[in-house]
Amino acid sequence: MNLIVAVDQNWAIGYQDELQFRVKADHRHFRELTIGHTVILGRKTLQTFPGGIPLKDRQNLILSTHADLKIENAIIFNSVESLISHLKAQGEQAVFVIGGASVYEALLPYCQRAFVTRFLEERPADRYFPNLDLAPNWELIETSPVHLESEIRFQFLIYEQSL
């Protein structure tokens, strides 16, 4: 399993249920990585999508504690265990955890690779992702050059976890 996340320089991922940065190159990178694959997200993250509907051209798996949740074109799981069982049965290798904070926290131990867009500035935040630079079992394996869009500097990073 993989994860994809956009963080600021302090590993913040959001503020008041919104992304901190909206950069076309980051959205393009996200789309290129996830299109045609399975994405795992929480209910609150889904609500931030246009129209609150699942992403097209991807299998959307929703991890939520809301037992009565029904979402068209998505499969709902009420526990990490049931989600992991489903993934094992499917045998899908290209699975991406895409947020939010509680879903990242629950599934980080199962992820082997993290695709991180690191914005080189700080924004107000109330949601954070664990700092992989300080995590003993995660290693930075690839760093892109610094990109600039709309006066915002960022890099694409890839980390691997030794499981």
Side-chain angles (χ1 to χ4, degrees):
M1 190 179 327
N2 306 293
L3 68 86
I4 186 166
V5 64
V7 301
D8 76 1
Q9 66 186 13
N10 296 319
W11 292 84
I13 61 172
Y15 183 63
Q16 297 180 348
D17 294 328
E18 291 292 330
L19 293 174
Q20 295 176 292
F21 301 90
R22 297 210 181 264
V23 174
K24 287 180 184 177
D26 180 46
H27 290 291
R28 186 171 42 253
H29 181 67
F30 175 88
R31 183 170 161 62
E32 289 170 0
L33 285 171
T34 63
I35 199 84
H37 301 297
T38 298
V39 294
I40 301 170
L41 61 151
R43 177 187 52 82
K44 288 182 184 178
T45 297
L46 179 64
Q47 290 173 343
T48 67
F49 293 173
I53 60 173
L55 296 172
K56 315 188 319 189
D57 304 320
R58 284 154 271 213
Q59 180 182 40
N60 289 255
L61 307 181
I62 312 297
L63 183 60
S64 174
T65 57
H66 288 72
D68 60 343
L69 189 63
K70 304 254 187 276
I71 299 169
E72 191 173 332
N73 298 318
I75 304 171
I76 314 301
F77 295 90
N78 298 122
S79 72
V80 170
E81 295 77 18
S82 63
L83 172 67
I84 297 300
S85 292
H86 173 81
L87 292 173
K88 286 180 180 176
Q90 294 292 320
E92 166 86 33
Q93 295 301 310
V95 175
F96 291 87
V97 178
I98 63 170
S102 63
V103 174
Y104 285 132
E105 182 181 340
L107 297 176
L108 186 62
Y110 299 94
C111 293
Q112 295 174 318
R113 193 167 269 198
F115 296 87
V116 178
T117 302
R118 181 88 182 263
F119 291 95
L120 305 176
E121 61 182 80
E122 180 181 346
R123 295 263 173 102
D126 57 12
R127 297 285 185 268
Y128 292 84
F129 188 85
N131 182 338
L132 296 182
D133 292 325
L134 301 178
N137 52 335
W138 284 91
E139 178 184 356
L140 178 63
I141 62 165
E142 192 174 310
T143 304
S144 78
V146 174
H147 300 274
L148 181 66
E149 184 180 313
S150 302
E151 299 185 30
I152 299 171
R153 296 179 319 126
F154 58 96
Q155 291 179 286
F156 298 116
L157 311 173
I158 301 175
Y159 290 82
E160 270 189 0
Q161 178 173 211
S162 52
L163 296 174

